[in-house]
Amino acid sequence: MIKNVVLVFLVIHATLANSESASKKWLTLNGRGPSVIARGGFSGLFPESSDFANQMALATSLSDVVVLCNLQLTKDGVGICQGDIRLDNTTNIAMVFEKGSKTYKVNGQDITGWFAIDFTADQLLANVSLVQNIFSRPSAFDAMLPISTVDDVRSSNPPAFWLNVQYDAFYTENKLSVANYIQKAARLQGVNYISSPEIGFLKKISGLVNKAKTKLVFVFLDKNATEPTTKQTYGSILGNLATIKTFASGIVVPKDYIWPVNAANYLEAPTSLVKDAHKLSLEVYASGFANDFTTSYNYSYDPSAEYLQFIDNSQFSVDGLITDFPPTASEAVACFAQYTDIKPTKEQALIISHNGASGVYAGSTDLAYQQAVEDGADIIDCSVQMSKDGVAFCLDSVDVTADTTAATSFMSLSTTIPEIQESAGIFSFDLSWSDIQTLQPQLTSPFENKGGLPRNPANKDKGKFFTLPEFLEFAKVKAVTGILINIENAAYLASQKGLDIVSAANTALSNATFDKQSTQKVLIQSEDTSVLSKFKNVPAYSRVLYLKDEISDAPRTPVEEIKKYADAVTLPRFSIVPTVNGFTTATTKVVNEMQAANLSVYVSVLRNEFISLPFDYFSDPTIEIATYTSGIGVDGIITEYPATASRYLRNPCSSNSMPDSSYSIMPAEAGSLLKTVPEETQPPASSPTPALDVADVVDPPLPAVTKPESPPPATTPHSSALQNIANEGLSLVAIMTLTLLPLMCD
């Protein structure tokens, strides 16, 4: 089945994936675009150097992609491709040969495991299967694929082939010769690069290869590690690059050799390494790229941003990127590097912020909104909340616990309101605006506790909250394309708190003259049709029904009912592309059904963190954006990282009309990757999501605004000591309750 899926990719990219135009002026050593080197093929998705990994790398990358094989030798001298000298880390060999474990000294250290030198090629190829050894990657392909020999990988006809020899000294000590293996003419044919961290090996092989056809590359390991030949640390060798030029034409360095990252996980200034190497005519290849590794906070979990830092920074460009995810490196080279933004067209999807750029700054703050504008958001949003004294302001939730420091000052106000949420919270309508102004914003992440992926700690408590009038004034000054005003809990606020959130929003919009203009879009969003009805007589406004619950279908009758109240709908992303166990399963008809009724469709909420992305998107948020916009054709995306969306949607690659290149970023085909998994190992089918019903659409009319009755005064004085004990008890209960609450995400 994988062959059929890969064939589809190959057919598509055969007409698209040519090298980027020579019109680009690169700061590489040769002036051409940097190479994309696929470490073990597409090892970010399939087991390293498997047939699947190699075929998919060729199918989804630039046409001149280089496929890298980490060479190991079997007992009978056959070359296989495995990244770790211990096969038990990447195969099921420990289950097949239970007593095959041994201890060897490798570069001076005792290492215990299963080694290729203890097994013949026939034993390994006939009995042992590959597995993924990184938990963030799909395990569904484990034990499906055999180990690949070097000849297997070369038979896939990669445009260029790279052989990395990590352990020559170890094999020599055990009476196996990598040099002899390479020297054989049949095997040498088509090897474009040979690399090693061992100087002795590169000097030995130097006279055995045609340097006009095969480049020799020295690999730097950790700066404190010792190079086996010279017994110097790699850090000390780095200080004398001229000596490397005598036996190699290039170097491979971990990416932090070029862009150091400090202890707080932020980028420091770049080193002079690339420039120094280029002065000596040494090419520089950066290693360690993977979309599903935690990187510097500077990149906002956007892998394309990291690649661009190394190839499009106006100071230098590395000559190649060694990566587990070659499609993302390819899009950075072919699409994003050296291209300025193009003007959006009317057909392009709108970029709508979610509490501003809330992946970069605390949501709903002035800084988050400013960042959203700078990052290219078309529409900035305000979820309106009300203070106790009737001030309308912007904040993601009526419960201020997560987004502010309220728990430190107002824990005694924590309460449970089933009409709003099941869990306890501190609610904005129980605080005065002056109380709220004393709170600091908090930059939160829905994945901080689930996957250890916090957001930008340096910005954790920066910024201030906007009142609704301040937000509207900001939007006018910045001349954004439009605004989205989200209104929730109107019925409860009216009947229980005497607060008219609808009138507050309407008045603020009118005072800012948004009801009397047509230059900026105004989207009024609510999950309550009775709220939307209150805005139906203002032609300048478009009404958006927020369908929070996932649906699988949108029959004609409920869709026609929606049209009575709204011009557009906002849908959870899984209502459009459902998933199971990390794989997309299909594309529903919901978008087509809504658009056929002339309803615009916005998808919510998109995030950059790889933990939020199905495997079909290659741990690349750009592929998800491409899938919903270019693939499915939604009218807008609601995102916490507008910069990522803007880079794609403002780039010719998004419209298949790249002026100087034939590469295109392809949307995922929902369900295709799951089809490659054997039926017996596929996850069980999940319970079907219900179709939209009329009852899900129509809400009762809003109640009248009723001022709550004041509580009767206390008739019996209480002991202050008892009062303090009671308050402490309440605080402890509230703290325990909030601490135990699971972090919820959209």
Side-chain angles (χ1 to χ4, degrees):
M1 180 62 74
I2 185 68
K3 297 286 188 182
N4 295 334
V5 176
V6 171
L7 181 60
V8 171
F9 278 105
L10 286 171
V11 169
I12 294 172
H13 282 266
T15 58
L16 298 176
N18 296 318
S19 296
E20 76 288 350
S21 169
S23 65
K24 289 187 180 183
K25 295 181 180 180
W26 294 95
L27 296 178
T28 54
L29 182 61
N30 61 16
R32 294 192 292 271
S35 298
V36 173
I37 300 116
R39 190 193 71 87
F42 197 159
S43 54
L45 187 61
F46 298 108
E48 179 182 340
S49 291
S50 64
D51 183 51
F52 286 15
N54 294 321
Q55 292 291 342
M56 191 63 83
L58 299 177
T60 59
S61 309
L62 285 170
S63 63
D64 56 359
V65 65
V66 182
V67 174
L68 184 150
C69 160
N70 285 296
L71 176 68
Q72 311 294 343
L73 292 182
T74 65
K75 185 177 183 178
D76 49 346
V78 175
I80 62 172
C81 297
Q82 279 289 284
D84 197 318
I85 196 169
R86 295 169 296 184
L87 299 184
D88 45 305
N89 282 345
T90 54
T91 74
N92 64 353
I93 193 170
M95 299 174 62
V96 177
F97 298 103
E98 296 181 8
K99 298 181 180 180
S101 176
K102 287 190 178 182
T103 299
Y104 286 98
K105 194 171 288 293
V106 181
N107 293 342
Q109 294 185 336
D110 288 335
I111 296 180
T112 300
W114 280 254
F115 294 79
I117 62 171
D118 294 321
F119 303 91
T120 66
D122 286 344
Q123 285 177 303
L124 295 177
L125 301 178
N127 299 288
V128 177
S129 299
L130 299 170
V131 300
Q132 270 285 10
N133 65 339
I134 297 177
F135 294 135
S136 58
R137 299 175 181 178
S139 60
F141 307 105
D142 287 359
M144 281 180 57
L145 304 161
I147 293 174
S148 293
T149 66
V150 172
D151 288 341
D152 289 334
V153 177
R154 286 173 49 206
S155 67
S156 64
N157 297 317
F161 183 57
W162 184 310
L163 206 57
N164 182 52
V165 180
Q166 191 84 357
Y167 302 104
D168 175 67
F170 169 75
Y171 288 115
T172 300
E173 291 169 3
N174 289 277
K175 307 299 188 289
L176 289 168
S177 175
V178 176
N180 288 345
Y181 172 81
I182 290 177
Q183 191 176 12
K184 296 180 181 179
R187 292 194 173 100
L188 184 59
Q189 183 180 357
V191 178
N192 305 91
Y193 302 83
I194 297 175
S195 63
S196 178
E198 299 182 12
I199 291 175
F201 170 74
L202 290 174
K203 288 183 175 180
K204 178 170 51 178
I205 202 73
S206 178
L208 304 178
V209 301
N210 183 343
K211 294 181 182 177
K213 296 182 178 180
T214 303
K215 295 181 179 181
L216 299 184
V217 183
F218 179 61
V219 177
F220 280 87
L221 303 181
D222 183 88
K223 291 181 180 179
N224 295 320
T226 301
E227 192 277 319
T229 307
T230 63
K231 308 304 180 185
Q232 298 181 61
T233 64
Y234 288 96
S236 63
I237 296 173
L238 186 66
N240 193 7
L241 289 177
T243 61
I244 297 173
K245 182 61 181 175
T246 62
F247 58 85
S249 62
I251 57 176
V252 170
V253 295
K255 57 188 180 180
D256 61 357
Y257 271 48
I258 299 170
W259 282 98
V261 178
N262 63 26
N265 203 30
Y266 288 92
L267 289 178
E268 297 181 340
T271 67
S272 62
L273 173 59
V274 178
K275 291 182 177 180
D276 294 343
H278 282 175
K279 287 178 182 178
L280 296 169
S281 296
L282 283 169
E283 293 181 323
V284 180
Y285 302 92
S287 66
F289 291 96
N291 295 4
D292 55 355
F293 291 171
T294 301
T295 57
S296 169
Y297 295 123
N298 296 79
Y299 303 129
S300 296
Y301 296 102
D302 182 349
S304 291
E306 181 179 25
Y307 291 114
L308 291 171
Q309 191 81 4
F310 286 80
I311 64 173
D312 193 25
N313 59 50
S314 79
Q315 301 177 57
F316 60 82
S317 171
V318 298
D319 301 282
L321 303 160
I322 300 177
T323 175
D324 293 3
F325 290 83
T328 305
S330 295
E331 72 187 33
V333 172
C335 295
F336 298 146
Q338 302 187 33
Y339 273 98
T340 56
D341 291 351
I342 61 172
K343 292 182 178 180
T345 64
K346 292 182 178 180
E347 293 77 25
Q348 281 186 318
L350 292 171
I351 301 171
I352 305 170
S353 73
H354 186 246
N355 307 307
S358 54
V360 183
Y361 286 100
S364 304
T365 59
D366 57 338
L367 296 179
Y369 290 125
Q370 177 63 40
Q371 190 69 49
V373 173
E374 293 176 3
D375 288 346
D378 300 304
I379 309 289
I380 57 174
D381 69 305
C382 171
S383 286
V384 183
Q385 311 300 339
M386 298 292 289
S387 68
K388 181 169 62 175
D389 46 350
V391 175
F393 66 100
C394 303
L395 194 67
D396 180 48
S397 172
V398 65
D399 178 2
V400 301
T401 310
D403 296 323
T404 75
T405 53
T408 61
S409 304
F410 298 102
M411 185 59 83
S412 61
L413 297 178
S414 177
T415 186
T416 301
I417 304 176
E419 297 97 321
I420 294 179
Q421 63 185 34
E422 295 180 359
S423 56
I426 302 170
F427 296 96
S428 67
F429 46 69
D430 290 329
L431 300 173
S432 67
W433 176 239
S434 60
D435 290 334
I436 292 168
Q437 288 180 298
T438 67
L439 304 177
Q440 285 185 306
Q442 293 293 287
L443 175 56
T444 59
S445 166
F447 311 109
E448 189 162 357
N449 294 337
K450 292 183 177 181
L453 301 178
R455 290 176 174 174
N456 215 350
N459 294 342
K460 183 175 179 62
D461 55 4
K462 292 181 179 178
K464 69 181 185 70
F465 296 119
F466 271 159
T467 63
L468 179 55
E470 288 172 336
F471 169 82
L472 297 176
E473 178 62 23
F474 175 86
K476 294 188 74 171
V477 169
K478 296 299 179 180
V480 292
T481 300
I483 57 173
L484 183 149
I485 305 299
N486 185 54
I487 300 173
E488 297 182 350
N489 306 308
Y492 179 85
L493 290 170
S495 62
Q496 301 299 316
K497 297 296 177 178
L499 296 170
D500 192 342
I501 189 172
V502 173
S503 290
N506 226 336
T507 300
L509 286 163
S510 180
N511 289 343
T513 68
F514 274 96
D515 58 339
K516 304 176 183 67
Q517 54 84 53
S518 58
T519 57
Q520 289 178 288
K521 293 178 181 291
V522 179
L523 308 180
I524 306 296
Q525 176 176 279
S526 181
E527 60 180 331
D528 192 331
T529 53
S530 58
V531 170
L532 298 180
S533 296
K534 297 291 185 179
F535 296 89
K536 66 180 179 180
N537 294 324
V538 185
Y541 301 162
S542 293
R543 295 171 294 163
V544 183
L545 180 63
Y546 188 7
L547 297 171
K548 282 189 174 182
D549 294 330
E550 291 179 26
I551 58 174
S552 60
D553 192 20
R556 180 175 179 178
T557 301
V559 169
E560 289 299 321
E561 198 65 32
I562 291 174
K563 285 186 61 63
K564 298 177 182 178
Y565 303 95
D567 309 292
V569 295
T570 293
L571 299 171
R573 57 192 182 133
F574 295 136
S575 288
I576 300 172
V577 183
T579 66
V580 58
N581 282 22
F583 292 91
T584 64
T585 58
T587 300
T588 68
K589 299 178 181 179
V590 173
V591 172
N592 289 338
E593 291 166 332
M594 295 290 186
Q595 291 178 338
N598 204 30
L599 289 167
S600 298
V601 178
Y602 309 129
V603 58
S604 178
V605 174
L606 272 57
R607 301 181 171 101
N608 282 0
E609 287 88 346
F610 63 84
I611 197 173
S612 73
L613 301 173
F615 298 127
D616 305 68
Y617 303 144
F618 305 162
S619 298
D620 183 352
T622 298
I623 301 297
E624 181 180 40
I625 295 166
T627 301
Y628 283 111
T629 56
S630 300
I632 297 171
V634 299
D635 300 284
I637 59 170
I638 299 175
T639 175
E640 295 177 342
Y641 294 95
T644 302
S646 181
R647 183 192 298 120
Y648 170 69
L649 289 170
R650 307 291 188 260
N651 189 278
C653 271
S654 66
S655 60
N656 297 339
S657 61
M658 199 69 169
D660 298 325
S661 171
S662 299
Y663 188 83
S664 183
I665 298 172
M666 302 303 298
E669 183 182 348
S672 63
L673 190 59
L674 185 60
K675 292 176 183 177
T676 68
V677 179
E679 290 186 12
E680 61 271 17
T681 61
Q682 287 192 11
S686 56
S687 301
T689 304
L692 184 67
D693 188 80
V694 172
D696 303 321
V697 175
V698 182
D699 296 289
L702 290 177
V705 178
T706 305
K707 291 292 182 182
E709 295 183 4
S710 300
T715 56
T716 304
H718 295 282
S719 163
S720 60
L722 290 175
Q723 182 67 47
N724 290 338
I725 292 173
N727 287 339
E728 289 177 8
L730 176 60
S731 297
L732 287 172
V733 170
I735 290 171
M736 291 175 65
T737 302
L738 292 174
T739 301
L740 293 174
L741 289 177
L743 184 62
M744 302 298 292
C745 63
D746 293 327

